[in-house]
């Protein structure tokens, strides 16, 4: 959960605001313990940070930035219910001139609800956050809307997810992530032609965006456009480090000779031929061609020996 929360909040104003506090004029009677808590948190000393933030809140119970930091520590520690309660307090008492924005507090609430798989509630929190972000963090509003759409998708509310994705594209027509999200949604409701149109647009904007090809291969497969599907699958495999080898190999098996030729061509051109040869072994094994698979494994071993010898010399 820690990685999920920090990865998103790092692009919001919350943590950036806390980092700036040490150089700001204190907004409360004393911010000393809070500033020390923020420093401890930045150094990954979460126990010390919690001790200091509790001390700050004992002196100033409505210190919004301290409440936010406490919720962040609790959330990263897996204490979701306590974190959510603290965030509700921060929202209830929000006022004055805290560094943390309302949209950041609500976004953290959404992230914690998401980690608890309370997707519909998370979507609602992100929706409210996006409204506040129009004024307090407009540069992050699109990221918040993307989180909201993803939560609706995971809640299996395809209509709501589609509505948010289309809203994103209306406000920011060149958002490739929103295009891919909408295309995935359209794929699920079997609107394959429109899904493909959005994926083509996303590809034009960012032709090495791996997720474009992940969903494009699925849509093209559903449309029965096999060779194009294989081309997309191979691009997905080439661009995504964690691409599913089995998924790509399965699609390649739908036109074996075409896929074999395309993979061998990629192996010849690539700086990492081993990865392409490994994919080829999977294709051969799926087809029951064990002899060819063994021959490719031997080729991979020879390449490895050549590289090892070259490095040694």
């Amino acid at each position: 959960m820690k990685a999920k929360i920090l990865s998103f909040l790092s692009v919001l104003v919350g943590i950036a605001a806390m980092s700036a506090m040490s150089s700001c004029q204190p907004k409360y009677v004393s911010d000393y313990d809070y500033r020390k808590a923020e420093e401890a948190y930045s150094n990954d000393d979460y126990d010390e940070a919690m001790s200091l933030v509790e001390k700050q809140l004992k002196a100033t119970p409505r210190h919004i930035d301290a409440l936010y930091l406490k919720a962040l520590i609790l959330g990263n520690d897996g204490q979701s219910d306590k974190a959510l309660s603290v965030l509700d307090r921060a929202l209830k008492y929000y006022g004055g001139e805290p560094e943390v924005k309302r949209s950041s507090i609500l976004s953290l609430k959404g992230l914690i609800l998401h980690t608890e798989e309370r997707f519909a509630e998370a979507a609602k929190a992100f929706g409210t956050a996006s409204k506040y972000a129009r004024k307090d963090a407009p540069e992050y509003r699109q990221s918040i809307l993307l989180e909201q759409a993803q939560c609706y998708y995971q809640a299996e509310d395809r209509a709501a997810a589609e509505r948010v994705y289309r809203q994103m594209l209306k406000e920011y027509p060149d958002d490739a992530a929103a295009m891919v999200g909408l295309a995935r949604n359209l794929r699920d409701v079997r609107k394959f032609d429109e899904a493909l149109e959005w994926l083509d647009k996303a590809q034009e904007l960012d032709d090495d965006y791996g997720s474009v090809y992940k969903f494009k291969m699925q849509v093209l497969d559903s449309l029965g456009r096999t060779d194009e599907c294989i081309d997309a699958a191979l691009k997905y495999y080439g661009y995504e480090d964690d691409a599913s080898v089995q998924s790509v190999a399965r699609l390649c098996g739908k036109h074996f000779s075409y896929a074999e030729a395309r993979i061998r061509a990629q192996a010849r051109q690539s700086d990492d031929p081993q990865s392409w040869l490994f994919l080829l072994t999977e294709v051969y094994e799926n087809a029951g061609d064990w002899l060819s698979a063994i021959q490719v494994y031997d080729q991979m071993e020879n390449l490895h020996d050549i590289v090892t010898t070259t490095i040694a010399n």
Side-chain angles (χ1 to χ4, degrees), residues 100-305:
V100 69
K101 308 299 184 183
R102 272 194 179 92
S103 60
S104 293
I105 297 172
L106 286 156
S107 292
L108 178 55
K109 183 175 182 178
L111 284 165
I112 292 172
L113 289 165
H114 181 274
T115 61
E116 294 297 310
E117 298 186 359
R118 294 160 62 178
F119 300 124
E121 294 173 78
K124 182 178 179 181
F126 282 121
T128 307
S130 73
K131 293 176 183 177
Y132 281 108
R134 285 187 182 276
K135 290 187 177 180
D136 71 20
E139 67 273 31
Y140 300 114
R141 176 173 150 77
Q142 195 77 342
S143 296
I144 295 169
L145 286 171
L146 182 61
E147 291 287 332
Q148 182 189 23
Q150 302 281 37
C151 286
Y152 275 133
Y153 182 86
Q154 289 176 287
E156 299 185 358
D157 189 343
R158 300 293 189 266
E162 181 175 339
R163 184 184 70 248
V164 177
Y165 284 128
R166 291 192 187 279
Q167 177 185 351
M168 293 174 68
L169 290 165
K170 183 178 180 180
E171 296 181 19
Y172 298 90
D174 292 338
D175 189 328
M179 293 177 186
V180 172
L182 178 57
R184 178 184 62 173
N185 207 80
L186 293 167
R187 175 209 62 183
D188 288 357
V189 296
R190 303 188 66 79
K191 295 181 180 179
F192 301 123
D193 290 324
E194 186 183 357
L196 187 58
E197 288 176 10
W198 284 112
L199 291 167
D200 285 340
K201 289 180 181 179
Q203 184 178 341
E204 289 175 7
L205 290 168
D206 188 354
D207 65 0
D208 61 357
Y209 185 3
S211 292
V212 170
Y213 303 106
K214 176 181 178 179
F215 296 112
K216 196 168 190 178
M217 71 183 190
Q218 296 170 2
V219 170
L220 288 165
D221 183 37
S222 296
L223 290 170
R225 294 162 61 173
T226 303
D227 288 353
E228 293 173 86
C229 166
I230 291 171
D231 289 339
L234 297 182
K235 286 188 176 181
Y236 164 58
Y237 183 77
Y239 286 129
E240 287 288 319
D241 292 336
D242 60 349
S244 170
V245 179
Q246 276 299 325
S247 295
V248 174
R250 178 185 60 80
L251 293 172
C252 287
K254 295 194 172 190
H255 190 169
F256 180 85
S257 60
Y258 179 81
E260 180 187 28
R262 295 284 289 112
I263 295 170
R264 286 194 176 278
Q266 289 290 339
R268 288 192 297 271
Q269 299 166 10
S270 175
D271 293 333
D272 181 21
Q274 294 278 37
S275 67
W276 291 101
L277 292 174
F278 177 72
L279 173 61
L280 187 57
T281 64
E282 292 291 315
V283 175
Y284 282 136
E285 288 177 6
N286 285 351
D289 188 347
W290 305 106
L291 178 59
S292 294
I294 291 170
Q295 289 173 342
V296 176
Y297 276 123
D298 289 341
Q299 184 180 353
M300 292 171 65
E301 187 173 346
N302 290 336
L303 279 173
H304 175 74
D305 291 342

Side-chain angles (χ1 to χ4, degrees), residues 9-71:
L9 287 183
S10 64
V11 299
L12 292 180
V13 293
I15 289 179
M18 289 193 297
S19 298
M21 281 297 293
S22 59
S23 61
C24 293
Q25 182 69 24
K27 303 279 193 303
Y28 300 89
V29 175
S30 172
D31 273 318
Y32 177 80
D33 291 313
Y34 168 73
R35 292 198 304 272
K36 297 297 289 185
E38 191 276 330
E39 182 180 342
Y41 182 86
S42 297
N43 293 325
D44 298 332
D45 189 348
Y46 304 123
D47 291 338
E48 178 67 7
M50 179 59 85
S51 176
L52 288 163
V53 86
E54 290 283 28
K55 188 176 179 182
Q56 179 70 64
L57 288 169
K58 185 176 181 180
T60 53
R62 298 186 181 185
H63 191 302
I64 305 302
D65 297 306
L67 288 169
Y68 178 87
L69 179 55
K70 180 178 179 178

Side-chain angles (χ1 to χ4, degrees), residues 77-98:
D77 193 44
Q79 300 183 58
S80 298
D81 288 340
K82 289 183 179 179
L84 291 169
S85 177
V86 172
L87 290 171
D88 285 340
R89 282 176 57 199
L91 291 167
K92 179 180 179 180
Y93 297 130
Y94 195 91
E97 297 182 10

